[in-house]
Amino acid sequence: MMRFFTPLLAAGLMLVTATVAMAQDRPRVVAVNHALQYFAERLLGDAAEVVFPVPQDVDPSFWRPSIADISMVQSADLILLNGAGFATWIDRVSLSRSKLVNTSAGIEDRFIVTESITHSHGDGGEHSHEGVASYLWLDPTLAIAQAEAIATAITSRGLVSKEDAADRLADLRADLEALDAQTRAALEAVQNVTFIATHPRYAYFARRYGLSITALEWEAGAVPTETQMADLRAMTADIGAQALIWEDTPPPEAFEMTAALGLRNIVFTPLARQPDGRPFAEVVEEAVSQMGSIATQ
C-alpha cells in the first residue's frame, strides 16, 4: 500500500509546492481606496493580487498604516494613488516613485477646490482637508479617466497584455457609461431638490448631475449630538432641504431624529471603503433610486 500511494503523495506535494510558488510570484497591486481596487481588479483579472489594506471601520482618507502595513505596501509591484489630497499617509511613507501611479494626474484641471477645514475623525487625530475634493470616482467620467490611467500603468509594466487590458477597459468603460446615463435619467426630476450630506464627499457627484448638496462635518454613521442637530435644524430651515444623505448607516434613533425635521434619510456609501460586499454599481444605483424617488412624494 505504501508503494502504491507514494507516487500520488509525491505528486500532491509537488502540486502544492508549485501552487505556493505561483502565489508568491504573483504580482501585487495596492490601491488606496476601494474604488481603485475595483477598477484594478476589473482590468487585471487573475494577473495580479489587488490589495486594499485599510480596515473596514477606518476612513481610508486618513488611515495610519502600521509598520507591517508599510512593509507590505513597499513590497508591492504597483501602488495606485487617487491624488487630489486623498490618503494623507502617502506623504509620510518612503515609497519607490517608480511604483507610484497617480490615477488623477491627467484630470487635475477638473478638480473641485474646497475650503480648508480642520477637524477630527474618531481616533485618527486632527487633520485638514487639502482644499481639493477627492472623491473623484463618484463622477463616472472621472472614474473612466482613472481606469484608463490604471490600464496604461499595468500594460507598461507588463502585468497584462495590451490586448487584454484594452478589452477589459472597454467593458469597464461601458459599465460606467451606462451607470452615468442611468443616474442622469433618475436624477433629472430632482434638480430643484436641496440635499444636505453628513460629510463633504459628494462634490463631483453633485457637479456631474447638477444637484444642490450642502455638506456638514459629521462622524460617519454616528448619532448626531445636540449641537449638530441644532445646526442641521437651522440649515434645513435656511436652505429648504428635503433630504439628508448619510455616508454610512447610523443607529435607528439617528434616522428618527432627522426624520422628525421632515428630512428624507438616504444612505449613500461613497465607495472609498468596501461596501459590505455589494458591487460598485449596485451601491450607486440604490442611492440614486432613493434620491430620485423624492420627486414622486
Side-chain angles (χ1 to χ4, degrees), residues 181-253:
Q182 179 180 337
T183 301
R184 181 172 295 281
L187 297 179
E188 186 175 355
V190 293
Q191 298 293 302
N192 296 322
V193 172
T194 300
F195 297 88
I196 297 175
T198 60
H199 204 279
R201 307 295 199 197
Y202 307 94
Y204 294 101
F205 185 83
R207 183 178 68 182
R208 177 63 181 166
Y209 302 110
L211 303 176
S212 173
I213 303 179
T214 301
L216 297 165
E217 287 279 353
W218 288 9
E219 190 71 25
V223 175
T225 65
E226 291 183 6
T227 299
Q228 289 173 329
M229 283 301 299
D231 292 341
L232 177 62
R233 187 177 298 108
M235 181 181 290
T236 300
D238 182 47
I239 65 177
Q242 296 170 253
L244 180 64
I245 301 172
W246 298 78
E247 65 171 317
D248 203 354
T249 305
E253 62 189 280

Side-chain angles (χ1 to χ4, degrees), residues 54-70:
V54 183
Q56 177 65 27
D57 60 346
V58 176
D59 186 336
S61 300
F62 310 106
W63 175 56
R64 293 182 175 181
S66 66
I67 294 176
D69 293 324
I70 293 172

Side-chain angles (χ1 to χ4, degrees), residues 29 31 35-45 50 80 150 154:
V29 175
L36 296 183
Q37 178 191 30
Y38 170 72
F39 301 153
E41 287 176 339
R42 288 283 303 267
L43 295 169
L44 284 161
V50 184
L80 303 178
I150 295 172
I154 61 178

Side-chain angles (χ1 to χ4, degrees), residues 1-238:
M1 293 294 291
M2 286 295 294
R3 291 180 181 176
F4 179 76
F5 279 105
T6 296
L8 294 178
L9 181 59
L13 289 172
M14 290 176 63
L15 179 61
V16 170
T17 301
T19 301
V20 171
M22 289 177 62
Q24 291 174 338
D25 292 340
R26 193 182 183 202
R28 174 179 292 164
V29 175
V30 171
V32 298
N33 58 48
H34 169 67
L36 296 183
Q37 178 191 30
Y38 170 72
F39 301 153
E41 287 176 339
R42 288 283 303 267
L43 295 169
L44 284 161
D46 296 328
E49 175 190 16
V50 184
V51 178
F52 170 45
V54 183
Q56 177 65 27
D57 60 346
V58 176
D59 186 336
S61 300
F62 310 106
W63 175 56
R64 293 182 175 181
S66 66
I67 294 176
D69 293 324
I70 293 172
S71 178
M72 184 277 293
V73 174
Q74 289 174 330
S75 67
D77 296 270
L78 204 61
I79 304 166
L80 303 178
L81 308 181
N82 182 76
F86 190 94
T88 56
W89 61 270
I90 291 294
D91 298 326
R92 299 189 293 269
V93 176
S94 176
L95 298 172
S96 172
R97 292 176 62 87
S98 64
K99 297 180 179 182
L100 301 179
V101 178
N102 182 353
T103 61
S104 63
I107 51 176
E108 292 182 355
D109 60 331
R110 299 171 69 183
F111 284 0
I112 294 176
V113 178
T114 63
E115 295 182 7
S116 183
I117 303 172
T118 300
H119 62 119
S120 62
H121 280 266
D123 60 358
E126 286 197 345
H127 61 265
S128 297
H129 290 285
E130 298 299 322
V132 176
S134 59
Y135 280 48
L136 302 159
W137 59 89
L138 291 181
D139 176 344
T141 65
L142 300 184
I144 290 171
Q146 291 185 288
E148 289 172 344
I150 295 172
T152 298
I154 61 178
T155 54
S156 66
R157 289 162 174 80
L159 297 182
V160 295
S161 69
K162 290 184 178 180
E163 292 77 13
D164 285 345
D167 289 343
R168 293 167 185 167
L169 178 60
D171 289 341
L172 178 55
R173 182 188 292 111
D175 288 345
L176 290 171
E177 288 175 344
L179 179 63
D180 182 43
Q182 179 180 337
T183 301
R184 181 172 295 281
L187 297 179
E188 186 175 355
V190 293
Q191 298 293 302
N192 296 322
V193 172
T194 300
F195 297 88
I196 297 175
T198 60
H199 204 279
R201 307 295 199 197
Y202 307 94
Y204 294 101
F205 185 83
R207 183 178 68 182
R208 177 63 181 166
Y209 302 110
L211 303 176
S212 173
I213 303 179
T214 301
L216 297 165
E217 287 279 353
W218 288 9
E219 190 71 25
V223 175
T225 65
E226 291 183 6
T227 299
Q228 289 173 329
M229 283 301 299
D231 292 341
L232 177 62
R233 187 177 298 108
M235 181 181 290
T236 300
D238 182 47

